[in-house]
Every structure is written in structure tokens, then in C-alpha cells.
Amino acid sequence: VRQGTRGENVLLLPYLHPPLLVPFLRPLSRISIERAYWVWTACSALLLMIAAIMMTSSFSDRGASSLQVTGIRLAVLTFFPVAVFIAQGQDTVIVLIGVAGWIVLLRSRQDFAAGILLSLAAIRPHLAIGLSVPFLFARRGVFVGSLVGATILASFSISLVGFQGVVDYVELIRETSIGETLVIGEAGMPNFLGLIHRLGGGDGRSAAALAAWVVWIAFIVATCIWWRSLGSRVSSVHCGLLIVGTLMLVPYIFLHDMAILTVPAIAAAAVRLAACRADWESPVIALGIASLLLTVMAVTASPVFDICLAAAIFLFSAPLVRDLRDMSAITFRSENPLE
């Protein structure tokens, strides 16, 4: 109406969110766009603070000072992709709080409850699949919990819009993913599919998408095989690497979705703090540096874009890989006491 009567250039995007969010968004449709935006921003900020507190809830008990805990929470709140999803009015905070709760409960061995919280990632179905399927082969309680949670959310969606409405939602996602309804700009995605397009391989759009899906599925299969050999030894460190790999290889991702990378960074700090390591704050410092790199990435083109992205991913992955190596060494010594 505003676009037609005032000549304003208002771009109305398709509703690309699960029906389960409709009851929460409906009240916002009854107020002005500006007020709705600020109400949603306030709600997102509140949920973000809850996620930050959740991720750092055990830090004080393990020796971190109040100043250090506050600094870590500020690092989460000021992470550049977090600022992006707040500014854009995205619903990424729901995924973030679900993933954060999943990791926290996983570390306390509450697998089923961890899976329930992980099911909140179902508002990004492609992310939820990548993060939950490997638990079919290790710590199955997480998978069962995520399946139960996702079933409840799906049932709620069906009760709102009917089965056909859910089918229409899936079809809309399919059309958008191939550019029929909305051009999604793969060249700007900070992932493997985006890299293919930036290197000039996006002329055959279907071929690029196929290559990305093949790599993505191969990553999930490889993770399942690896985790099957680990069994109950799968830890938050392994999950941190799963999060990083998922965000880099899943075919449909945007800069605001990378806010989820705060979770493995804080989880790595928690693992090191629990082990009384002097370098426990280094993952948080890496988070701050990565934030600067992603800021530069957002305003540049390839190759600077990809150099900054690669450096940021290295900063998130390196602490996790080192922790994984240390864990393997400890396991080896416990299994081979003569060594």
C-alpha cells in the first residue's frame, strides 16, 4: 500500500520462513513497519543476550573473573554477523539460541535435552539436517531429541497452515533456491557454492549447485563415518568442527547465518578453561579478529573477499583442531599406559 500510494521503493520478499513463526509475527503486522522493526530488534537483542549468558554460564565457577565473562559476552554481542542479523531483522537469533543450548547441554551429557534445543535450528532445515544426522551414529540421544523437537514444530506448522501449506512452503524454498521466485545472489555467499560462483563457475547455475550439494552430502557422510568410530567420545570440540564445516559447505548460507560461529568459539574457550589452560581466552581473541576480517569481507570483492573468509575460518578452526589433537593424545596415553 505504501509503495503504491507514496511511491516508496519497498521491496516485499517472499515469506521464506517456517509457518511456525507466523503466530509470533502476526502481531507485528498490525503496527507500522518502523515499529514492527524496532520491536523485532528488541526481541532479537534480548534473545541474543540470553544466548550469550547461556554460553558463558559456567565460566565464573571455573575461575573466570566477572570482567572476563563480561568481555566474552561483549565479544559475542559485537561479532559482525550478529550486527548484520540484528540490522536486517533476521530470525537467525532463534537458530543461535538453539545451537548454543545444544552445545551447553551436550557438555553436561544431557543428550536428549540438547537435541530438543537443536531442533530450533529447523527454521533453517538445511542446517538442522547437517547438525543432527551425524548423531545417528554417536550419542543417539541427541538425534532422538532433535527428531522429537522437529516433529513437534512440524505438527504445529501443519496445525497452522495444513499439510498443503507446508508443501507450498517447501516448494517456495525449492523455487527460490534455483532462482525462480527470487535471485538469491550465490556469488555473495560466504561458502563453497559462493566460491564456485566467484571463480566464474556460476555460469552453469545448476552444475554449480549440484557440485555444492555433492560436496555437502560427502561431508555429512564422512562425518557420520568418523563419529561412528568415536561413539560416546564425541564432544563439544567435534560439534564445533561440525558447525564450522556445515556453515562452509551447506549450499545456502548468508553472512548473518555466520553468527552461529560464536558458539564453537565460546565452546573452545570453555573446554580450555575447564582444563585450566593459560590460553583459554585465545578462541575469544580469535573471534574478535575474525569479526574484523568478516567486516572487511563484507565490503570487498574477490579475491580479498575469499582471503578474509579463509582467514576467519582458520581462526575458528585452529583452536578446535588443536584441542582435538590434545584430546587424541590424552586418549592414546590412557589406552597405552606404557607410552
Side-chain angles (χ1 to χ4, degrees):
V1 170
R2 287 178 53 178
Q3 185 168 352
T5 59
R6 304 183 190 177
E8 295 183 19
N9 185 22
V10 179
L11 175 62
L12 300 178
L13 301 177
Y15 180 78
L16 293 175
H17 306 275
L20 61 94
L21 292 179
V22 170
F24 306 100
L25 296 176
R26 181 177 290 129
L28 298 180
S29 68
R30 300 190 178 113
I31 58 179
S32 69
I33 294 175
E34 291 83 1
R35 288 182 180 177
Y37 171 80
W38 288 113
V39 170
W40 183 257
T41 298
C43 292
S44 296
L46 177 61
L47 291 175
L48 177 60
M49 286 187 282
I50 292 173
I53 292 171
M54 188 187 305
M55 285 188 276
T56 57
S57 58
S58 64
F59 278 53
S60 296
D61 296 336
R62 291 172 176 162
S65 68
S66 298
L67 183 61
Q68 288 172 320
V69 173
T70 300
I72 294 169
R73 290 171 180 171
L74 285 175
V76 173
L77 298 176
T78 58
F79 186 51
F80 180 66
V82 168
V84 171
F85 84 64
I86 290 290
Q88 293 181 352
Q90 300 286 349
D91 57 8
T92 312
V93 70
I94 300 174
V95 182
L96 177 60
I97 202 168
V99 173
W102 161 53
I103 293 295
V104 170
L105 292 173
L106 190 80
R107 296 194 71 235
S108 60
R109 312 300 294 188
Q110 300 178 60
D111 289 4
F112 182 79
I116 292 290
L117 275 177
L118 179 58
S119 68
L120 290 177
I123 66 171
R124 301 281 194 280
H126 50 307
L127 288 181
I129 291 171
L131 296 177
S132 61
V133 167
F135 285 100
L136 264 171
F137 302 89
R139 301 183 67 169
R140 283 195 184 89
V142 177
F143 180 80
V144 173
S146 65
L147 185 61
V148 170
T151 300
I152 293 172
L153 295 177
S155 299
F156 181 53
S157 294
I158 293 174
S159 71
L160 291 172
V161 298
F163 182 76
Q164 185 58 46
V166 175
V167 172
D168 292 341
Y169 162 66
V170 174
E171 177 63 16
L172 180 59
I173 291 179
R174 186 198 68 80
E175 292 176 357
T176 302
S177 66
I178 61 177
E180 290 182 7
T181 304
L182 177 70
V183 177
I184 56 178
E186 292 94 335
M189 292 183 181
N191 62 356
F192 179 67
L193 178 59
L195 178 63
I196 294 176
H197 281 266
R198 288 189 293 276
L199 292 177
D203 294 336
R205 193 175 187 194
S206 298
L210 177 62
W213 278 105
V214 169
V215 171
W216 168 231
I217 293 172
F219 171 76
I220 295 177
V221 171
T223 301
C224 291
I225 294 172
W226 179 31
W227 283 21
R228 184 179 182 183
S229 67
L230 294 173
S232 61
R233 289 179 293 164
V234 168
S235 67
S236 60
V237 174
H238 299 91
C239 294
L241 288 171
L242 176 63
I243 293 170
V244 174
T246 294
L247 288 173
M248 290 303 96
L249 298 177
V250 68
Y252 186 86
I253 211 77
F254 292 100
L255 179 58
H256 60 82
D257 294 308
M258 297 185 76
I260 304 167
L261 287 172
T262 55
V263 177
I266 305 306
V271 168
R272 294 177 177 214
L273 182 60
C276 300
R277 287 174 51 172
D279 64 342
W280 70 269
E281 290 179 293
S282 59
V284 182
I285 296 172
L287 178 68
I289 299 172
S291 182
L292 294 175
L293 287 169
L294 294 177
T295 303
V296 174
M297 182 197 77
V299 296
T300 57
S302 190
V304 177
F305 183 105
D306 294 299
I307 292 172
C308 290
L309 176 60
I313 295 306
F314 173 79
L315 287 171
F316 284 109
S317 303
L320 295 167
V321 171
R322 181 180 175 184
D323 292 342
L324 188 63
R325 184 188 61 194
D326 293 344
M327 289 168 58
S328 299
I330 293 172
T331 302
F332 177 80
R333 286 196 297 269
S334 65
E335 294 174 350
N336 300 273
L338 295 180
E339 292 294 334

